[in-house]
Amino acid sequence: MEKRFTFYEREEEESEQKKQSLQMESATLKRKFRTSEEEFDDIPVSSVDFSIARAEQVLRSTGEKWEPRDLWLETRDEKSTGYRNDMKKFEIKVTESCRALRVRADHKALRRVAEEKCRQTKEFRELCARRAPMFWIPLRAHCVWERMSVTLACTVLGNPKPSIQWFKNGVPIELRTSPPGKYKIQNEYGMLTLEIRRCTLEDSADYNVVATNAFGQATSFANVLVKQYHGLKSGWDSVSYPSLLPVYEGEFTSVMKPVFTREKESFALSCSVSSSLERYAPSIHWFRDGVLLKESDRRTISCMGCDVSLVGSPAYKEDEGLYMVSVPAASGHQEQSAYMFVKDADPEDIGAPGSPLCVQCHDVHKDCLLLSWTPPSDDRGSPVSGYYVERWDKSSNQWVPCNEVPTKICRFPVSGLTEGETYRFRVKAINKAGISLPSKASDPVTMRDPVKGEKEIVIPYDEQRKIVINKDELDELVKVPTSPRNVRASEVSEDYIVLSWDEPDPCGKEPLTYYVQRSIAGSNSWQRINLDTPVNSTRLPVFGLEEGKSYCFRVQAVNKYGMSEQSESSEPISLQATLVVPPAPDHIMALRDTKTSAVVQWGKVECDPEILGYYLYSRFSGDTDWKPVNNKPLKCNRFTVPGLETGKDYEFCVRAVNEAGLGEQSPVSDPLNINEAIYCPSAPYDFALLCCGKDEMTIGWKAPKFTAGKDILGYLLDQHDSSELNWKDVNNEPITKRVCKITDLTEGNFYEFRGRSMNVAGVGDMSEPSDLFKCEEWTMAEPGPPYGVRCREVRNTSLMIHWDAPVYQGCSSVSGYLIEVLKEGSDEWKTVNENPVTDCHLRVSDLETGKSYKFRVLAINSAGSGSPSLPCDSVIAATKPGTNEIEVGVDDEGFIYLSFENPEPIDNPEFIWSKDYKGEPDPEKTEISKEGNKSKLVLTNPSEEDVGTYSVEVPNTDGISASHTLTEEELADLLKKSHDVRHPLIQLISGWNKEVLENGDVRLWLQVEKLSSAANLEMILNDSIIGNTPKRKINFDKENGLIEIIKEDFGVEDKGTYTAKVVDGKASNQFSLTLTGEDFDDTLDEANRKKKQWKKKNGPHFQEQLQWKVTDDCHVIITCKVNNITKETILKWSLDKKTLSNGQYDGQSGDGKLVIEKFSNAEKGHYKAVVQDKRGQDDSDLDISKEGFEEIMKEICRISALSASPLKCQGTAEGIKIFSDVKYFTESMNPTWYHKNKKLDSTEKVKSGSTMNQIWLQIINPTDTDKGLYTLEIFDGKNTHKRTLDLSGKAFDDALAEHQKFKETAIVEKNRAKVVRGLPDLATIMVDKTLCLTCHISGDPAPEICWVKNDKKVVFKDRYKLDVKGTVVTMTIEKICAEDTGRYSITVKNKYGSEVGQVTVSVFKHGEEPEELKKAWEKTQKPK
């Protein structure tokens, strides 16, 4: 007891100590628990510490959790009282709650502190960073070569971001007013650059850039010096800076011409240079509209030898533009450019519009984007009504339509896309004619969140390290999102509305989707738009709205925790056309440029929205259809149109284009004739000294190469004494010739000359100075040099050389000339003519086609040959395309002429004719006229003196000339033709011919030579003039010289002599035909015969004549086929001239058919079918009376014999019947019956016979002797067929039993009581009359008789009486009354059976009509 007490006391003491310890620990924990805000008040923490802590909290895995229970020690004793256990559990729960509250409070407090610290740090940094602009790296000066590019660069600092402006010599640089592609200005991250492309001497200037913000302004200066390159050995650059000079010194040797291609076809642009460029390929650049081009899958840039090219395939309209190639040069770069035009491909539907172009994607979001494109230039006469948009589906590898209803404008929002997926789009245009080909596909675009980058916070720490935090991760824990905000329409059109809204704030960490509802403004009926799939982004295009109605919209956000409340409703929104087509451009004007191009300019169009460009159209003057010049909109308002036809008149118009479509057409320009523009001529060249005295010189020169198609009015010369500084004028008035004598010179001095030429446009450029000529008198014996050497009539293997005689003759007059030639590739001059020529011209032959030649001339006198002339310009031996020669002939008046047409149309061309190259032909013997671009020389009085060479030259052209040698033989032939023209006789080609046409008409015709439209014809028959009548047609084909008479119903009145008199101007002739005697009779007979055949053939006729065939059913069918039928065509059948009504005729196919199902002797005869309508008739006969009938019967016999069925047997009332079924029995089948191989004849015991479809044998009262094998033989006309039956055993017994049954039935039927005849169905009688109802009966034994009225037996007394006399039974009703009306029946009965006969009795009063008779009458009167 004492030990136990001590134990309890010790246990109680330990319990008290444990309780006290627990209370102390709880109090300590309560004192230690404080919020994070309280703790942070005592602990200094920087913003960087907060950022790092927050970053670590975000990046830390969420696997760790605080366990409050670990803070407690294990209880030392598991046995504790209930009170202590409850207190312990309570304390643990309190501690856990405190820890959870602390964690939640820590999150909120940490976020607020971090945001506040970040905000303060950001404001502090911004305040510290605000400053005026400062150039950290200033501009520096540059010195470059001409035609090179230079880039000025500097770095600027400043906050806020300063605005930048570049200046050149104090003048702002504006990109809009500067030449296209001249300047390129960039401002990226404070790095400022100004690129000056293709520098010229004018680009040498002082450049400065000004940076300005709210705190001040800064400027940086630099000087650019552009130097001109004068050669490798000139100036300081040959020694000091040889490495700066380009190595390549080649030049362009060809001009890059405009390229015309078509969609989906290949294209190529190329040019040539004088030396190989392969080593400098990296320095060759191609540009399109100022944008550098690089090689791609569709585009290849190559440099092979001296050829530079850009090749592409396939071409798209986006490839159209101005292409420029830049190659290195000694002075920097040299360039050539050409425009490439890409026409629309031929559409699949004729009349469908061209394809759209420039498809681009804008405003890309997670699941939607905005598509835009440029409308086509060519609608092919029908305006574009809409566009279909398609996207490429990777899963099916097909283009999927994005819209079912065509959109009217060139913008379309595409929704329902997937974030992270890449898409491509294309567009088709549609008009009334059909759908265009698809456009080029857009560039690939990947769907993404556009604000994803804005949500990221970058925190730098530890030098160059940084931490990236998404703002969504800093949001407080939001489960169900709040409502979206600011629902609005970001774009409105007449087809759709694009809705936009802002995300909920806060939006939480979970991804959001949205549902959109709409309601008609003023109503509260909301309808969800996107029922199938939610929207992932904050944009949604809405289609299918009604015009004229206003709608309100609201949005609901959804995440995995639930749906937000509905947003506030948007303002009322309605469909409206916000885009309108631009107005028409004005002030359109077309100007001449070259022989194949024109310059068109027009006024700019200013409208909102900004236009995409302009489409230019052209047409021949007088045409109605416009053809597009360009298929990609032009950005400028001035354009050179190439590829035009020289000499043609063109008209032009312009249409501006924007995303709403093509604008109105501008006014049409005035017609412009395509030809060279009028410019000042180029400079004269190749000055030469022709003669020199003591104080005078005679100077000659060559005419300018370029005259703009106008005459040179004169030349202005300058002279320069080498001992003086200045140039002096030689003449004040223009010199018309290319030779000038200059006086008042100083002997022994050296002089050089230069000059300018002038035309109606003005004075041209000054020429290069000539060589220095010494002024000293010429005393040599040889002649001076000829001058003016020129080549004319250049052809593939020959040309004509002309020159002028030398001014200085020497010691004697010039006796001849020698011509020397220098061939391409040779340095040696060779003499062309061994013997000198006395004339100042020579035809050179045997030239090599395509080779280049130079010629010079030496004059010869008695002292020898003088100095050579200056060589002529290089000439290539080749006939130019389109070269015309002189045409020789006789005109309509009989004059011999030579004519020449200028192949290069120019304004008011001049033609210079000469004979034998000695000057203008004799004006008394010739007459020269001009009409447009054609000149004509007429020999007014031709004779032998006119034989010779005639030449013509067109000045101010590219050497257009020709010649023709008129020989004596050719002149004699021309004189003969002239005589025939002046004294003509119409020539006969084919004399009178007669023929009978297929329709029986007679044609008489002859042919003469071709006649003019003024020719006349007079036709005579037997001295009487005849003309056109309804039965006679006279045709006169003047173009082919054909005269014909077509006579219908040719008869006796057409016999006689026909004469045709033809007169054509001065020419005439007559031709006769005699049609009498046998010729007339034969022609008349043939005409009548063919007329009859024509009437038959022209109308309906039998393509297949009547023919018969027998079917498998033994039906005889007579068929035919009719051709050339109409709806009115009928077919009639007849047999021996008796019309048959059962004939059939198909009016569609022309098939006729007559079916005879039972063919017999009655169908024998002569069949005839007649087809006819208003055009005529035809008939076909078929004789089926003798041989035809027998053949048909044989065929029927054959088919029927083959169709005979196996023998069958059946019992009948008379006995046993054996039979065989056939399709059609004829006597020709000759059936024969056998019993046990013994032929059977018809007896009382055995009878045989046939029906139309059966052959039978009847055995009367059969017995056992009738058993055995029965055989039937049938003949088909050639062979015999057998059918057998073994009538024994069960077959005989069954047939015999059936016979007994039929026999008993016949007996019963014969003796049964029957009402044979006599009773009517209805009997009507007037009251008070006597009615007798009589009928005949039969039966053995005599039957019993019973009369019934209305199902009641009749009692015969008083008025009812019955009389039976043998088989006649009569019931009489005397003084009949209305009560006797009813249904009466008689029943006869014996032991074999009974039968009932009925009659209805109707009694009517006097003056009444029985109801039964009324009903019967009404039934007969009803229409059927």
Side-chain angles (χ1 to χ4, degrees):
M1 291 294 293
E2 186 176 355
K3 289 182 180 180
R4 184 176 297 176
F5 176 81
T6 304
F7 174 76
Y8 285 147
E9 185 177 11
R10 186 176 57 187
E11 184 178 4
E12 185 175 353
E13 184 179 356
E14 289 176 356
S15 176
E16 290 293 334
Q17 292 177 356
K18 193 173 183 179
K19 181 177 179 181
Q20 185 178 1
S21 175
L22 182 60
Q23 290 176 353
M24 292 177 66
E25 288 178 359
S26 177
T28 302
L29 288 175
K30 289 179 181 180
R31 287 194 305 270
K32 289 182 179 180
F33 176 71
R34 293 186 301 172
T35 65
S36 297
E37 294 179 351
E38 295 172 347
E39 293 179 348
F40 282 125
D41 291 338
D42 299 333
I43 302 174
V45 181
S46 66
S47 59
V48 176
D49 296 332
F50 277 112
S51 301
I52 295 173
R54 182 54 181 160
E56 292 176 352
Q57 181 66 25
V58 172
L59 299 175
R60 184 183 303 162
S61 61
T62 57
E64 298 182 2
K65 292 184 180 180
W66 291 356
E67 294 293 339
R69 287 173 295 180
D70 295 340
L71 301 176
W72 301 95
L73 300 173
E74 294 182 358
T75 56
R76 292 175 299 173
D77 191 358
E78 295 181 357
K79 295 181 180 180
S80 59
T81 60
Y83 175 77
R84 285 184 301 172
N85 290 340
D86 290 341
M87 287 298 296
K88 182 178 180 180
K89 292 179 181 179
F90 177 76
E91 289 294 338
I92 290 173
K93 289 182 179 179
V94 170
T95 304
E96 289 178 351
S97 299
C98 291
R99 291 293 183 183
L101 290 174
R102 179 187 176 94
V103 170
R104 191 177 302 173
D106 281 347
H107 279 290
K108 292 184 178 181
L110 183 60
R111 178 181 175 183
R112 283 195 297 268
V113 172
E115 288 180 350
E116 180 64 22
K117 295 295 184 181
C118 289
R119 183 185 63 80
Q120 293 176 1
T121 304
K122 183 177 179 181
E123 290 180 357
F124 176 76
R125 289 178 179 177
E126 290 179 352
L127 289 174
C128 293
R130 289 187 179 183
R131 57 184 297 173
M134 180 190 69
F135 284 96
W136 185 258
I137 300 176
L139 296 174
R140 65 182 182 87
H142 289 265
C143 179
V144 296
W145 292 105
E146 187 181 13
R147 305 184 74 178
M148 293 180 63
S149 297
V150 63
T151 301
L152 302 179
C154 62
T155 303
V156 66
L157 299 177
N159 192 12
K161 184 178 179 180
S163 59
I164 306 301
Q165 178 64 55
W166 288 86
F167 293 85
K168 174 184 176 182
N169 290 335
V171 179
I173 297 177
E174 296 291 343
L175 295 180
R176 292 184 178 180
T177 59
S178 301
K182 182 64 177 177
Y183 299 105
K184 182 178 180 181
I185 298 176
Q186 290 185 339
N187 181 2
E188 297 182 354
Y189 308 106
M191 182 70 176
L192 310 181
T193 58
L194 170 64
E195 181 181 359
I196 308 172
R197 298 175 177 173
R198 301 180 295 279
C199 291
T200 63
L201 295 178
E202 297 177 354
D203 293 321
S204 294
D206 292 328
Y207 292 85
N208 62 296
V209 58
V210 178
T212 307
N213 66 6
F215 294 91
Q217 179 176 298
T219 305
S220 181
F221 298 88
N223 178 266
V224 174
L225 176 62
V226 180
K227 304 197 67 175
Q228 188 175 13
Y229 180 65
H230 295 285
L232 287 175
K233 301 302 180 181
S234 63
W236 56 271
D237 55 321
S238 62
V239 179
S240 304
Y241 298 93
S243 61
L244 297 179
L245 298 179
V247 178
Y248 183 76
E249 294 185 354
E251 295 181 350
F252 286 107
T253 59
S254 66
V255 178
M256 194 161 57
K257 298 180 180 180
V259 176
F260 298 89
T261 185
R262 191 179 293 272
E263 279 185 300
K264 307 304 174 62
E265 296 180 358
S266 60
F267 64 90
L269 296 101
S270 62
C271 62
S272 301
V273 291
S274 57
S275 59
S276 177
L277 266 172
E278 292 185 2
R279 293 177 57 189
Y280 310 94
S283 300
I284 301 173
H285 301 290
W286 285 86
F287 299 86
R288 184 182 65 224
D289 296 330
V291 179
L292 179 65
L293 299 179
K294 297 182 179 180
E295 288 196 352
S296 64
D297 295 339
R298 291 194 308 110
R299 188 165 49 234
T300 303
I301 298 174
S302 63
C303 174
M304 300 181 63
C306 298
D307 297 327
V308 181
S309 64
L310 183 147
V311 180
S313 179
Y316 294 100
K317 291 193 289 186
E318 289 81 354
D319 297 322
E320 182 172 298
L322 181 64
Y323 284 77
M324 182 183 68
V325 58
S326 174
V327 300
S331 58
H333 284 78
Q334 50 185 338
E335 300 166 349
Q336 275 201 12
S337 61
Y339 206 93
M340 187 177 78
F341 299 85
V342 183
K343 297 182 180 180
D344 284 299
D346 294 332
E348 296 178 356
D349 300 327
I350 298 177
S355 59
L357 65 154
C358 299
V359 180
Q360 296 179 350
C361 300
H362 312 277
D363 201 8
V364 180
H365 284 70
K366 292 181 181 179
D367 58 355
C368 64
L369 55 80
L370 183 63
L371 206 65
S372 69
W373 58 90
T374 300
S377 61
D378 192 3
D379 56 15
R380 294 186 172 92
S382 178
V384 175
S385 58
Y387 301 91
Y388 285 115
V389 178
E390 296 178 344
R391 64 174 173 86
W392 178 253
D393 186 9
K394 290 183 179 179
S395 59
S396 62
N397 288 332
Q398 292 180 350
W399 288 96
V400 179
C402 296
N403 57 327
E404 297 179 357
V405 179
T407 180
K408 297 177 182 177
I409 62 175
C410 299
R411 293 172 66 88
F412 185 77
V414 182
S415 60
L417 307 178
T418 305
E419 184 178 3
E421 292 290 334
T422 302
Y423 295 91
R424 300 179 70 193
F425 300 88
R426 69 180 188 183
V427 184
K428 295 180 180 179
I430 182 174
N431 64 3
K432 292 182 179 179
I435 302 177
S436 74
L437 297 175
S439 68
K440 176 187 175 184
S442 67
D443 294 334
V445 58
T446 302
M447 309 309 296
R448 56 182 178 79
D449 188 358
V451 299
K452 184 176 181 180
E454 299 177 2
K455 292 184 177 182
E456 293 181 349
I457 300 176
V458 179
I459 303 174
Y461 79 100
D462 193 9
E463 295 181 353
Q464 296 182 352
R465 298 183 181 182
K466 60 182 179 180
I467 298 175
V468 180
I469 302 174
N470 195 307
K471 290 183 179 180
D472 292 341
E473 297 176 353
L474 299 178
D475 289 343
E476 62 184 27
L477 185 60
V478 177
K479 291 188 176 181
V480 179
T482 58
S483 301
R485 303 168 291 120
N486 192 17
V487 181
R488 61 197 181 277
S490 58
E491 184 173 345
V492 178
S493 74
E494 55 185 325
D495 295 330
Y496 61 86
I497 292 175
V498 178
L499 284 180
S500 300
W501 57 89
D502 297 335
E503 290 183 339
D505 188 20
C507 61
K509 300 179 182 179
E510 300 299 331
L512 294 176
T513 56
Y514 303 92
Y515 287 101
V516 182
Q517 294 181 351
R518 76 177 183 190
S519 173
I520 298 177
S523 68
N524 197 23
S525 176
W526 292 93
Q527 181 181 3
R528 179 174 289 181
I529 297 176
N530 53 331
L531 295 175
D532 299 332
T533 56
V535 181
N536 295 325
S537 61
T538 58
R539 293 174 64 92
L540 176 66
V542 181
F543 294 90
L545 303 179
E546 297 183 20
E547 295 183 5
K549 291 186 178 180
S550 296
Y551 295 85
C552 294
F553 299 89
R554 63 185 186 184
V555 185
Q556 193 174 20
V558 181
N559 63 9
K560 72 176 186 179
Y561 295 109
M563 301 178 66
S564 72
E565 297 293 332
Q566 295 287 351
S567 69
E568 294 184 2
S569 174
S570 68
E571 296 293 331
I573 307 170
S574 60
L575 296 176
Q576 58 183 351
T578 56
L579 291 175
V580 295
V581 296
D586 55 3
H587 302 103
I588 182 170
M589 181 169 55
L591 305 172
R592 283 185 176 181
D593 184 46
T594 67
K595 293 181 179 180
T596 59
S597 64
V599 176
V600 183
Q601 61 184 21
W602 57 91
K604 290 186 177 180
V605 174
E606 302 291 343
C607 67
D608 187 22
E610 185 177 354
I611 63 172
L612 300 175
Y614 303 92
Y615 283 130
L616 182 60
Y617 301 86
S618 68
R619 69 181 180 188
F620 289 116
S621 182
D623 288 356
T624 57
D625 296 333
W626 290 98
K627 295 182 180 179
V629 174
N630 61 307
N631 287 284
K632 182 179 178 181
L634 299 171
K635 303 298 182 181
C636 56
N637 64 330
R638 180 184 174 93
F639 188 73
T640 300
V641 183
L644 306 179
E645 296 185 28
T646 306
K648 298 289 186 179
D649 291 337
Y650 282 83
E651 296 175 340
F652 301 91
C653 73
V654 184
R655 299 175 73 176
V657 59
N658 63 5
E659 292 181 345
L662 297 180
E664 297 294 330
Q665 176 183 303
S666 71
V668 180
S669 68
D670 295 332
L672 176 69
N673 185 267
I674 305 303
N675 217 317
E676 287 277 7
I678 302 176
Y679 301 104
C680 294
S682 60
Y685 62 103
D686 283 354
F687 287 83
L689 180 61
L690 304 180
C691 184
C692 186
K694 290 183 179 181
D695 58 353
E696 65 183 16
M697 288 182 179
T698 301
I699 303 298
W701 59 89
K702 292 182 181 179
K705 295 181 179 180
F706 177 74
T707 64
K710 299 300 177 181
D711 292 334
I712 299 298
L713 301 179
Y715 299 89
L716 300 175
L717 297 182
D718 293 346
Q719 68 179 31
H720 177 235
D721 190 337
S722 62
S723 61
E724 297 179 359
L725 182 62
N726 298 325
W727 287 80
K728 295 180 180 179
D729 295 335
V730 173
N731 59 311
N732 294 324
E733 295 296 329
I735 303 172
T736 58
K737 297 182 178 180
R738 295 194 301 276
V739 176
C740 179
K741 188 175 184 179
I742 305 169
T743 59
D744 298 331
L745 302 178
T746 302
E747 186 178 3
N749 287 359
F750 287 88
Y751 292 88
E752 59 182 345
F753 302 89
R754 67 183 184 184
R756 294 185 293 176
S757 55
M758 61 181 298
N759 62 6
V760 293
V763 180
D765 296 334
M766 182 66 71
S767 68
E768 294 292 331
S770 68
D771 295 334
L772 290 173
F773 302 126
K774 186 177 182 180
C775 183
E776 61 180 359
E777 186 177 3
W778 283 3
T779 58
M780 65 272 198
E782 296 84 3
Y787 66 97
V789 181
R790 55 200 179 275
C791 296
R792 296 291 183 264
E793 304 173 31
V794 180
R795 300 297 184 262
N796 286 335
T797 58
S798 65
L799 54 80
M800 197 74 185
I801 302 176
H802 298 266
W803 62 88
D804 295 321
V807 176
Y808 179 75
Q809 298 289 321
C811 64
S812 62
S813 60
V814 175
S815 60
Y817 301 93
L818 293 176
I819 293 87
E820 294 182 343
V821 61
L822 179 65
K823 187 177 179 181
E824 178 185 0
S826 174
D827 296 332
E828 180 183 358
W829 287 91
K830 296 181 180 181
T831 303
V832 175
N833 55 325
E834 296 180 359
N835 300 319
V837 295
T838 57
D839 296 325
C840 291
H841 58 270
L842 177 66
R843 181 172 297 277
V844 181
S845 303
D846 299 330
L847 300 178
E848 186 176 349
T849 304
K851 291 294 184 179
S852 176
Y853 296 88
K854 286 184 179 182
F855 298 89
R856 68 184 183 184
V857 183
L858 294 87
I860 301 175
N861 63 6
S862 59
S865 60
S867 60
S869 69
L870 287 178
C872 68
D873 296 333
S874 297
V875 59
I876 298 176
T879 303
K880 293 182 179 180
T883 299
N884 293 335
E885 301 294 345
I886 293 178
E887 178 186 354
V888 182
V890 179
D891 61 15
D892 296 338
E893 300 297 327
F895 290 104
I896 300 174
Y897 70 88
L898 295 90
S899 67
F900 180 77
E901 183 176 3
N902 178 21
E904 297 182 7
I906 60 176
D907 295 334
N908 193 22
E910 181 184 358
F911 297 86
I912 300 176
W913 287 89
S914 67
K915 183 184 178 186
D916 297 329
Y917 301 103
K918 295 180 180 179
E920 186 178 355
D922 187 356
E924 295 182 357
K925 297 179 66 64
T926 59
E927 181 181 333
I928 300 175
S929 62
K930 183 184 72 172
E931 182 178 357
N933 277 323
K934 193 171 184 179
S935 178
K936 185 177 181 181
L937 184 148
V938 178
L939 303 179
T940 56
N941 187 17
S943 63
E944 293 181 357
E945 297 177 357
D946 294 316
V947 174
T949 300
Y950 291 84
S951 63
V952 62
E953 180 182 349
V954 184
N956 301 316
T957 60
D958 190 13
I960 294 176
S961 56
S963 65
H964 180 80
T965 301
L966 185 63
T967 63
E968 293 182 359
E969 294 79 8
E970 185 179 12
L971 180 61
D973 185 54
L974 293 172
L975 287 172
K976 182 180 180 181
K977 291 181 180 180
S978 175
H979 180 270
D980 293 341
V981 171
R982 294 183 179 184
H983 307 87
L985 184 66
I986 297 176
Q987 298 298 319
L988 179 67
I989 297 177
S990 177
W992 278 106
N993 297 273
K994 62 180 183 294
E995 60 177 313
V996 180
L997 303 180
E998 188 179 7
N999 61 352
D1001 295 348
V1002 177
R1003 178 176 180 256
L1004 307 175
W1005 63 276
L1006 64 89
Q1007 187 175 13
V1008 297
E1009 62 180 331
K1010 180 180 178 181
L1011 303 174
S1012 68
S1013 59
N1016 292 320
L1017 171 68
E1018 187 179 78
M1019 187 63 65
I1020 300 173
L1021 173 61
N1022 298 332
D1023 300 329
S1024 298
I1025 298 175
I1026 60 176
N1028 283 315
T1029 65
K1031 296 293 185 179
R1032 181 194 298 116
K1033 295 181 180 178
I1034 300 176
N1035 298 324
F1036 186 24
D1037 185 358
K1038 303 174 184 178
E1039 180 69 21
N1040 299 310
L1042 183 64
I1043 302 170
E1044 66 175 358
I1045 303 172
I1046 299 177
K1047 183 64 172 65
E1048 298 181 17
D1049 298 333
F1050 188 76
V1052 180
E1053 68 277 6
D1054 299 308
K1055 182 189 296 185
T1057 301
Y1058 293 83
T1059 302
K1061 291 184 178 181
V1062 185
V1063 179
D1064 187 8
K1066 298 178 181 180
S1068 64
N1069 209 338
Q1070 68 178 25
F1071 314 93
S1072 298
L1073 169 68
T1074 300
L1075 191 59
T1076 57
E1078 293 182 0
D1079 288 344
F1080 176 80
D1081 295 338
D1082 294 342
T1083 303
L1084 181 61
D1085 293 342
E1086 185 180 0
N1088 292 334
R1089 178 174 55 81
K1090 286 189 174 182
K1091 182 178 180 181
K1092 183 177 180 181
Q1093 293 177 355
W1094 173 257
K1095 287 184 177 180
K1096 179 179 179 181
K1097 184 177 180 180
N1098 192 45
H1101 57 274
F1102 284 95
Q1103 182 179 353
E1104 297 177 3
Q1105 301 295 325
L1106 291 181
Q1107 53 188 355
W1108 60 266
K1109 66 177 181 179
V1110 180
T1111 65
D1112 293 339
D1113 295 330
C1114 294
H1115 297 166
V1116 177
I1117 300 178
I1118 301 176
T1119 61
C1120 64
K1121 186 174 183 62
V1122 183
N1123 200 0
N1124 196 18
I1125 59 177
T1126 63
K1127 294 181 179 180
E1128 292 78 16
T1129 304
I1130 59 173
L1131 181 66
K1132 295 182 180 180
W1133 296 82
S1134 64
L1135 173 61
D1136 295 333
K1137 298 183 180 180
K1138 295 181 181 178
T1139 302
L1140 299 177
S1141 59
N1142 59 338
Q1144 302 176 17
Y1145 169 63
D1146 186 355
Q1148 296 293 331
S1149 62
D1151 294 331
K1153 183 168 63 175
L1154 178 66
V1155 180
I1156 305 174
E1157 295 183 354
K1158 299 179 181 179
F1159 191 80
S1160 62
N1161 287 328
E1163 283 71 40
K1164 183 191 300 183
H1166 185 82
Y1167 287 84
K1168 184 176 184 180
V1170 179
V1171 59
Q1172 63 182 8
D1173 56 25
K1174 62 181 180 181
R1175 298 173 296 166
Q1177 70 177 29
D1178 192 13
D1179 56 46
S1180 180
D1181 299 325
L1182 180 64
D1183 187 6
I1184 311 180
S1185 57
K1186 297 180 181 179
E1187 293 83 357
F1189 179 79
E1190 292 178 359
E1191 290 178 359
I1192 292 175
M1193 294 306 297
K1194 288 180 181 179
E1195 182 66 12
I1196 293 176
C1197 178
R1198 182 185 68 81
I1199 295 175
S1200 183
L1202 293 174
S1203 68
S1205 66
L1207 291 180
K1208 305 175 185 177
C1209 67
Q1210 67 178 19
T1212 64
E1214 294 81 9
I1216 297 176
K1217 180 180 179 182
I1218 302 174
F1219 62 93
S1220 174
D1221 294 327
V1222 294
K1223 291 188 176 180
Y1224 187 82
F1225 177 76
T1226 64
E1227 295 296 335
S1228 302
M1229 298 172 67
N1230 192 19
T1232 304
W1233 290 92
Y1234 294 90
H1235 180 222
K1236 299 178 181 179
N1237 297 326
K1238 180 180 180 182
K1239 183 177 180 182
L1240 296 177
D1241 296 325
S1242 182
T1243 62
E1244 293 182 357
K1245 178 68 175 178
V1246 179
K1247 295 181 179 181
S1248 63
S1250 64
T1251 63
M1252 184 173 293
N1253 300 106
Q1254 195 177 81
I1255 303 173
W1256 53 267
L1257 177 70
Q1258 185 74 44
I1259 304 173
I1260 309 299
N1261 296 322
T1263 61
D1264 290 341
T1265 59
D1266 296 320
K1267 294 181 179 180
L1269 181 67
Y1270 287 83
T1271 304
L1272 171 64
E1273 290 185 352
I1274 305 173
F1275 182 68
D1276 67 355
K1278 291 184 179 181
N1279 302 314
T1280 301
H1281 303 275
K1282 294 183 179 181
R1283 302 290 187 268
T1284 59
L1285 175 67
D1286 186 6
L1287 186 63
S1288 61
K1290 186 175 184 301
F1292 180 81
D1293 295 339
D1294 292 342
L1296 184 63
E1298 190 176 7
H1299 160 64
Q1300 295 296 337
K1301 181 179 178 181
F1302 279 116
K1303 185 176 182 181
E1304 292 175 359
T1305 302
I1307 295 173
V1308 171
E1309 182 63 23
K1310 179 179 179 181
N1311 297 326
R1312 181 178 60 84
K1314 293 179 285 185
V1315 179
V1316 181
R1317 54 186 174 83
L1319 289 179
D1321 293 333
L1322 175 66
T1324 58
I1325 190 171
M1326 188 182 297
V1327 295
D1328 296 333
K1329 300 292 184 176
T1330 299
L1331 175 65
C1332 294
L1333 298 176
T1334 302
C1335 66
H1336 295 262
I1337 64 174
S1338 65
D1340 186 19
E1344 299 177 359
I1345 301 170
C1346 178
W1347 282 89
V1348 178
K1349 173 189 175 184
N1350 295 335
D1351 298 330
K1352 293 183 179 180
K1353 188 175 182 180
V1354 177
V1355 179
F1356 292 96
K1357 63 178 182 179
D1358 299 334
R1359 295 185 296 110
Y1360 288 86
K1361 296 181 179 179
L1362 178 65
D1363 182 19
V1364 180
K1365 294 181 179 180
T1367 59
V1368 178
V1369 179
T1370 302
M1371 183 181 71
T1372 304
I1373 304 176
E1374 298 177 348
K1375 295 183 180 182
I1376 197 166
C1377 61
E1379 296 178 355
D1380 298 324
T1381 299
R1383 188 171 186 81
Y1384 292 83
S1385 61
I1386 179 174
T1387 302
V1388 292
K1389 181 178 181 183
N1390 64 7
K1391 67 177 182 178
Y1392 293 109
S1394 63
E1395 191 174 280
V1396 178
Q1398 296 180 345
V1399 61
T1400 301
V1401 176
S1402 176
V1403 181
F1404 60 92
K1405 298 180 181 179
H1406 293 282
E1408 292 182 357
E1409 185 176 359
E1411 291 295 332
E1412 290 76 3
L1413 292 180
K1414 285 184 180 180
K1415 295 178 180 178
W1417 173 258
E1418 290 175 357
K1419 289 181 179 180
T1420 59
Q1421 296 302 314
K1422 286 183 179 180
K1424 296 183 181 180

